[in-house]
Amino acid sequence: TERARRYSDVLRVAFQGLRAGNPSAVVVFGGPAQTDDDFIRACYEFGVQPYFDIMALHPYQGDQAKPPESTDITSKARVTNFPKVAAVMAEYGDSSKPVWWTEFGYSVHSNAGIPDSQPWQHGVPDAATSADYLRRQFELARSRYPQVTVAIVYAAYKQPSDSLGHQFGYRLMEADGSVLPQLPAIRDYLNGHPGQRAIW
């Protein structure tokens, strides 16, 4: 696709420029939305394999009301589509490259009035559910997807900015610094699995 071609050109030039200035620079393939194996395959077809060190993507659920291990959401709109990304990487000789999940989360808000045709606007009912889904997504990475070495949760704090509260619902703490249940849930999970890394 044209989008993949343009991105591949940018990645190649960025890699060459970065390595010219710093031969040890680590170059990250900039995170596609969701587990978009089709876009990643198209970029490989345009020759990106030598021009990045880490694959990054944003494994959001296309319907956040569904837990991360759900398989009843189509293609790139589900976390469990990640093996297709890993398969594309392996096909092009990149099975040893690490993968970073550079943005994911579960927004807390009501789904009243959101049509079924817009599942990406869905949220989970409470912070406890968001915390549980985050823990389960970390567990998916640990137990099934060993290429995933870094996970970045979105977001530490967001100001109210939209009528549905979708963006605001991702926050892990309040404006006064008090933490919501998601943050200690992530801490407790990582304490039990010290080999994993998380950022928010």
Side-chain angles (χ1 to χ4, degrees):
T1 67
E2 179 63 15
R3 186 169 60 100
R5 185 195 64 75
R6 285 187 285 119
Y7 178 73
S8 300
D9 288 345
V10 169
L11 180 60
R12 182 174 57 257
V13 171
F15 178 93
Q16 292 167 340
L18 288 165
R19 286 292 175 85
N22 179 359
S24 61
V26 175
V27 179
V28 179
F29 186 111
Q34 302 177 323
T35 55
D36 194 343
D37 57 296
D38 290 334
F39 176 78
I40 291 168
R41 176 180 294 281
C43 290
Y44 272 109
E45 290 172 356
F46 284 114
V48 300
Q49 194 273 344
Y51 300 115
F52 70 97
D53 305 297
I54 295 167
M55 172 63 70
L57 50 94
H58 299 172
Y60 282 99
Q61 287 288 70
D63 183 345
Q64 290 185 37
K66 306 279 188 177
E69 65 274 10
S70 293
T71 58
D72 61 338
I73 308 169
T74 59
S75 63
K76 69 178 183 178
R78 56 187 170 96
V79 176
T80 52
N81 191 58
F82 177 75
K84 290 185 179 179
V85 173
V88 171
M89 293 178 69
E91 182 180 333
Y92 285 87
D94 274 351
S95 56
S96 63
K97 281 185 180 175
V99 176
W100 291 358
W101 284 356
T102 46
E103 185 183 315
F104 67 98
Y106 295 89
S107 180
V108 178
H109 62 79
S110 168
N111 292 326
I114 299 174
D116 290 341
S117 61
Q118 297 177 8
W120 59 89
Q121 296 278 10
H122 287 171
V124 295
D126 49 50
T129 302
S130 175
D132 181 49
Y133 283 11
L134 287 169
R135 179 193 60 78
R136 289 155 74 172
Q137 190 152 343
F138 274 102
E139 180 60 18
L140 273 176
R142 187 193 69 81
S143 63
R144 297 190 201 174
Y145 311 145
Q147 273 180 275
V148 179
T149 60
V150 173
I152 301 175
V153 179
Y154 180 81
Y157 178 70
K158 293 288 292 183
Q159 293 184 334
S161 61
D162 58 303
S163 60
L164 292 174
H166 190 70
Q167 288 295 316
F168 185 56
Y170 284 110
R171 70 198 188 284
L172 305 178
M173 62 180 63
E174 302 290 11
D176 63 4
S178 58
V179 300
L180 296 170
Q182 296 94 316
L183 205 50
I186 295 168
R187 177 202 62 203
D188 293 346
Y189 183 83
L190 294 176
N191 285 342
H193 302 91
Q196 286 194 292
R197 298 169 62 195
I199 304 170
W200 46 82

